[in-house]
Amino acid sequence: MMGPAHSLSGAAAWLGVGAAAAAAGHPMPWPVLVVGALICAGAALAPDLDHKSATISRAFGPVSRGLCEIVDKLSYAVYKATRSRHDPRRSGGHRTLTHTWLWAVLIGAGASVAAVTGGRWAVLAILFVHLVLAVEGLLWRAARVSSDVLVWLLGATSAWILAGVLDEPGNGANWLFTGAGQEYLWLGLPIVLGALVHDIGDALTVSGCPILWPLPIAGKRWYPMGPPKFMRFRAGSWVELKVLMPVFMLLGGVGGAAALNVF
């Protein structure tokens, strides 16, 4: 799928988690719901860090473009080193390492550890990166015609404000993990969810997605998971733009309303 659809699906997924938490009698504080949805929307773009033409490669200028080159080469190297004789040969690393459950878990866990051990500046950095990505994904038309600096300023300002809101007692800095020193440990959860939602979205397309690597399936280490081929579509096709994106917006709206006990 394309960037906007990925971001919408990520936001909708976290709002759905919020609705489930409310139904279970443990509603999220509204700042956790909002910040989590934005982080998840941004994280849903991150697996494409292995693709130099993806939205994330443009998000942070030369830094993200250079990082995409490195991740692409790393992913390709891992693919070559671990492929079975049944896996096809390929020339790049797109939709390999960064499109797996293992990558999602490692990135989310790393973010949680950084948030707990790195203090406020680490939290601000995590928020900044994902809020910029959320703007690039959810507001992609406006972001394309705006300068990168304006998008970065919006991300930095929003990160500072939202961190201040979360720091207020009862607003969610210690949501889910209430032990001493565990503030913001939950930040990794929307990151894991966003990455997995991205992978599931890509699995719906014609190429599939090797979400379950390194588990062998049908003799392949990089088995492209997905529905039957007749149910798949091409990225950017009318199915994605006219059907899935409106569905994601509807589900996100319903999930958000349910999470806030509107009905």
Side-chain angles (χ1 to χ4, degrees), residues 163-187:
V165 172
L166 285 168
D167 282 339
E168 293 296 321
N171 276 1
N174 61 347
W175 175 72
L176 197 60
F177 302 97
T178 58
Q182 294 182 347
E183 292 82 5
Y184 293 108
L185 186 60
W186 63 269
L187 281 184

Side-chain angles (χ1 to χ4, degrees), residues 87 209-213 215-218 220-226:
D87 289 304
C209 187
I211 303 173
L212 296 182
W213 178 85
L215 301 178
I217 302 174
K220 296 181 178 181
R221 287 286 182 186
W222 298 90
Y223 185 83
M225 301 295 296

Side-chain angles (χ1 to χ4, degrees), residues 7-197:
S7 284
L8 277 174
S9 66
W14 186 259
L15 293 171
V17 170
H26 300 285
M28 293 180 183
W30 71 264
V32 173
L33 185 70
V34 172
V35 173
L38 291 172
I39 291 176
C40 204
L45 296 180
D48 277 343
L49 196 58
D50 60 6
H51 191 345
K52 63 183 179 181
S53 297
T55 302
I56 190 172
S57 72
R58 302 187 297 269
F60 300 97
V63 174
S64 53
R65 286 195 293 271
L67 187 57
C68 282
E69 294 281 354
I70 294 171
V71 172
D72 176 46
K73 289 180 171 57
L74 171 63
S75 299
Y76 182 49
V78 172
Y79 181 85
K80 287 199 301 181
T82 61
R83 64 179 287 268
S84 74
R85 61 189 181 87
H86 298 290
D87 289 304
R89 295 185 181 277
R90 54 187 303 150
S91 58
H94 182 47
R95 286 203 188 184
T96 56
L97 179 61
T98 62
H99 287 68
T100 65
W101 70 271
L102 185 58
W103 176 272
V105 171
L106 289 176
I107 292 299
S112 287
V113 170
V116 171
T117 60
R120 181 173 178 80
W121 288 108
V123 171
L124 288 172
I126 293 168
L127 290 177
F128 168 71
V129 168
H130 289 89
L131 290 174
V132 168
L133 291 177
V135 171
E136 292 282 356
L138 298 175
L139 304 176
W140 65 277
R141 290 186 185 276
R144 287 285 179 86
V145 298
S146 300
S147 72
D148 289 340
V149 174
L150 288 178
V151 175
W152 299 340
L153 285 174
L154 176 59
T157 303
S158 300
W160 187 271
I161 293 172
L162 290 173
V165 172
L166 285 168
D167 282 339
E168 293 296 321
N171 276 1
N174 61 347
W175 175 72
L176 197 60
F177 302 97
T178 58
Q182 294 182 347
E183 292 82 5
Y184 293 108
L185 186 60
W186 63 269
L187 281 184
L189 298 178
I191 294 174
V192 174
L193 181 61
L196 292 177
V197 168

Side-chain angles (χ1 to χ4, degrees), residues 217-260:
I217 302 174
K220 296 181 178 181
R221 287 286 182 186
W222 298 90
Y223 185 83
M225 301 295 296
K229 290 191 180 296
F230 75 89
M231 297 177 63
R232 302 185 189 190
F233 56 88
R234 293 190 178 279
S237 69
W238 67 270
V239 176
E240 179 180 331
L241 300 176
K242 304 296 184 181
V243 178
L244 291 182
M245 288 180 66
V247 168
F248 293 150
M249 286 189 279
L250 177 61
L251 291 177
V254 172
L260 295 173

